[in-house]
Amino acid sequence: MIDMETKKIKFIAVFICFHLVALVANAQIGVVTDLQKLHAKIDSCSANLSRSRGPVIGVSAYQHGEGGSSVPGTYINAVIKAGGTPVVIPVTDNVGVISHILNEVDGLVLVGGEDVNPSFYKEQPVAELEKVDSIRDVYDLTLIKLATDRKLPILGICRGEQIINVAFGGTLYQDLPTQNSSTVQHRQTLPREVGTHNVSVVSGSELARILGPGNFMVNTFHHQAIKDLAPGFTVTAQADDGVVEGIESLKKLNILAVQWHPEGLVNGGDTVMLNIFKDLVHRATTYKKQERK
Ligand SMILES: N[C@@H](CCC(=O)NCCCC(=O)O)C(=O)O
């Protein structure tokens, strides 16, 4: 018969072990310049580290240099802080490669970048259209098609929100200042860790459940925005001038997107905006259990 005292000791022992594993799971090696010390640090991490990390989150990239791919570290760090395991998806037009990678991830982040070619929403380019990367457009649209075929959870950020809208039949203002001028500045010069304009989150939306209802100061780095909302989506946040700042899919799809950069605010210590990434990790964890068993 195990008496109460023994039960208490066992509970405390399990509690301490759990927190030790959680601490080790976030172990960072830091800067080491001696090979033996580096190997010792790696070995000191628990063998079951990979099992204690969260779902694998694919992160889209920019084309960089001669056919290279890159993504700002703020996106990567926000996924890690939220408990996910980020993997950068190389920019390629090889559908087999993208398909193979999406078979191995549990969620997807579509990051920011260049203007979307207006041909994808059947418009002629205006003079104020900025840099377009047609290979990046095809890559992002391929990611969206293959990810939604798999019912993968998606988080779109800035350009990511815009190209999701285009992918499902919506359109964009090609240049806000000339096509939808307002007093709200949508391109800040202050660092991305600083919010510079207000957004109102629509109560009853998933975004309101994630952030809480009401108003938030967000950062802003865009001159385009959603004009006609794609069918099957709803607006979840707007700036004071009515510019769409958040959308989410209705029913079947599993897509949430924002025009601002929560990863930049997270980089400045914003724990409320971290909840946007924690929501993606939660959705990815559910996907992993239900769709990839
Ligand atoms: N070109 C579009 C989208 C702008 C955008 O994604 N900005 C962020 C770039 C930096 C980053 O990826 O963090 C527009 O101007 O509206």
Side-chain angles (χ1 to χ4, degrees):
M1 176 71 165
I2 299 181
D3 61 35
M4 188 50 78
E5 202 49 36
T6 311
K7 275 185 183 175
K8 210 185 283 180
I9 292 166
K10 279 196 168 190
F11 173 79
I12 292 167
V14 168
F15 182 81
I16 290 168
C17 282
F18 172 79
H19 280 279
L20 278 176
V21 167
L23 277 174
V24 169
N26 288 300
Q28 289 166 313
I29 288 178
V31 177
V32 179
T33 54
D34 175 278
L35 194 55
Q36 281 66 34
K37 282 187 183 153
L38 175 60
H39 287 172
K41 280 213 169 196
I42 293 166
D43 292 341
S44 71
C45 294
S46 146
N48 66 351
L49 254 188
S50 61
R51 283 196 293 277
S52 56
R53 282 299 313 172
V56 178
I57 306 291
V59 182
S60 69
Y62 286 72
Q63 279 216 92
H64 183 79
E66 291 298 310
S69 301
S70 73
V71 60
T74 45
Y75 295 98
I76 301 299
N77 295 336
V79 170
I80 293 172
K81 269 184 193 170
T85 299
V87 288
V88 178
I89 302 174
V91 178
T92 175
D93 62 355
N94 185 314
V95 176
V97 167
I98 294 176
S99 183
H100 191 167
I101 292 171
L102 291 182
N103 287 339
E104 304 303 324
V105 303
D106 309 306
L108 176 65
V109 177
L110 294 170
V111 304
E114 303 84 357
D115 288 1
V116 179
N117 192 328
S119 66
F120 285 113
Y121 47 99
K122 300 186 177 11
E123 286 191 11
Q124 290 301 314
V126 300
E128 295 77 12
L129 182 71
E130 296 181 359
K131 181 170 182 273
V132 165
D133 176 345
S134 296
I135 291 175
R136 173 86 189 275
D137 285 345
V138 168
Y139 157 80
D140 276 346
L141 291 168
T142 303
L143 278 170
I144 293 167
K145 168 78 173 65
L146 293 177
T148 42
D149 287 351
R150 288 161 174 76
K151 304 193 189 73
L152 263 174
I154 299 175
L155 168 61
I157 294 173
C158 202
R159 167 195 161 95
E161 180 210 52
Q162 297 167 359
I163 199 158
I164 286 168
N165 188 58
V166 170
F168 288 94
T171 64
L172 304 179
Y173 288 110
Q174 292 189 43
D175 181 61
L176 279 174
T178 53
Q179 294 181 318
N180 191 44
S181 68
S182 86
T183 55
V184 176
Q185 279 300 318
H186 287 280
R187 243 180 180 168
Q188 71 186 51
T189 51
L190 287 174
R192 56 180 58 220
E193 290 76 15
V194 179
T196 57
H197 78 59
N198 178 63
V199 296
S200 304
V201 174
V202 175
S203 61
S205 65
E206 277 300 289
L207 190 60
R209 179 187 58 74
I210 295 163
L211 295 179
N215 294 290
F216 300 86
M217 288 301 284
V218 299
N219 54 15
T220 187
F221 298 93
H222 64 107
H223 81 116
Q224 300 195 318
I226 289 175
K227 183 167 64 176
D228 301 307
L229 183 66
F233 283 78
T234 184
V235 172
T236 59
Q238 283 184 283
D240 292 346
D241 59 0
V243 166
V244 173
E245 292 278 342
I247 62 173
E248 60 198 38
S249 54
L250 301 166
K251 297 206 176 47
K252 281 181 301 185
L253 299 176
N254 192 348
I255 302 175
L256 184 144
V258 292
Q259 182 61 72
W260 69 90
H261 286 268
E263 83 290 347
L265 298 170
V266 167
N267 196 49
D270 189 324
T271 52
V272 173
M273 292 298 163
L274 180 60
N275 290 327
I276 291 179
F277 292 91
K278 286 184 174 177
D279 168 70
L280 176 65
V281 168
H282 173 71
R283 289 189 280 148
T285 303
T286 305
Y287 174 86
K288 188 175 179 180
K289 285 182 189 141
Q290 290 175 352
E291 303 288 339
R292 292 201 322 125
K293 19 184 196 274

